[in-house]
Amino acid sequence: MLSDDNAEVDRPREELTPKIKKMNDLMPLVKASYAESKKTLKGYYPQERWPDYGIPDKR
């Protein structure tokens, strides 16, 4: 019984582990892209317009 439960949990874990690694590898690229976009947006638009583009923080 316990062995069946472990196998039931191990199967999804084996499927998810590579996906999680791929996502963890991609996350720094997404964060860098967001930071660059935010910097550009802040340079060209007034602070009042930032929330329109999903930038919640202030200077």
Side-chain angles (χ1 to χ4, degrees):
M1 179 82 178
L2 185 61
S3 179
D4 291 339
D5 291 340
N6 286 340
E8 188 174 332
V9 169
D10 287 341
R11 237 176 281 123
R13 184 177 292 145
E14 288 172 6
E15 293 174 14
L16 288 176
T17 299
K19 291 178 183 179
I20 291 170
K21 178 167 178 7
K22 185 176 180 180
M23 296 292 284
N24 287 340
D25 291 343
L26 187 60
M27 188 58 103
L29 299 173
V30 171
K31 285 182 177 183
S33 176
Y34 176 74
E36 185 63 31
S37 297
K38 187 165 78 169
K39 187 167 74 172
T40 301
L41 184 81
K42 286 182 174 185
Y44 287 102
Y45 292 95
Q47 185 175 349
E48 298 78 32
R49 299 262 331 267
W50 296 352
D52 297 343
Y53 298 96
I55 307 298
D57 53 7
K58 310 252 185 246
R59 279 193 187 188

